[in-house]
Amino acid sequence: MSEPVPAPRGFFRELRYIPQTLGLAWGAAPRWTLLWILLLLAQGLLPLSIVWLSRELVDELVAAIRAHSAAGGGLGGGGGAAFAFEPFGPLALAAILLGAALLAAELLRSALEYVQAAQAELVHDHVSGLVHAQTVRV
């Protein structure tokens, strides 16, 4: 039995199989493979948008609290003017966009699972066909 290869060298050594693996998946299901790649890219960009939208939401919340405090209202609820929430203001928009991004992340995760299952079945059938064809030739 061979000794285990340290992770970094083993990882880089395994990278050489990526073109063959993608070629096999592409040969079995080109549309599903393209969809899989696009979903992976979208899923990779969503965390960046979620972080950015979270920052925007916090900034808008801080601005709203400062504006409320400057108008004479306090956070204790006593004696000051009531906090006026604008349903279509920047704070609400940031919250809605963040919620939409979080929902999109979950939907993408589910879609990716579905695509991977469909693609795996097609790749399995394709490999079985290749094995069968090779067996018939021998």
Side-chain angles (χ1 to χ4, degrees), residues 44-124:
L45 292 175
L46 263 175
L48 178 65
S49 66
I50 289 171
V51 168
W52 183 78
L53 288 168
S54 296
R55 184 185 60 111
E56 289 297 313
L57 179 64
V58 169
D59 289 348
E60 290 299 332
L61 185 59
V62 168
I65 290 171
R66 284 184 180 156
H68 179 66
S69 295
L75 293 179
F83 183 74
F85 179 73
E86 299 176 35
F88 298 107
L91 178 60
L93 179 62
I96 289 169
L97 289 175
L98 178 60
L102 290 168
L103 179 63
E106 285 302 309
L107 291 174
L108 273 176
R109 186 188 55 78
S110 296
L112 194 57
E113 286 178 9
Y114 177 78
V115 168
Q116 285 175 330
Q119 186 183 28
E121 189 68 31
L122 291 169
V123 169
H124 178 269

Side-chain angles (χ1 to χ4, degrees), residues 12-74:
F12 291 115
R13 190 179 318 159
E14 298 299 321
L15 285 177
R16 66 180 179 208
Y17 296 113
I18 288 178
Q20 292 172 328
T21 305
L22 286 176
L24 183 63
W26 187 265
R31 290 181 183 164
W32 286 106
T33 303
L34 180 62
L35 184 58
W36 174 70
I37 290 170
L38 292 174
L39 286 173
L40 278 178
L41 290 173
Q43 196 176 33
L45 292 175
L46 263 175
L48 178 65
S49 66
I50 289 171
V51 168
W52 183 78
L53 288 168
S54 296
R55 184 185 60 111
E56 289 297 313
L57 179 64
V58 169
D59 289 348
E60 290 299 332
L61 185 59
V62 168
I65 290 171
R66 284 184 180 156
H68 179 66
S69 295

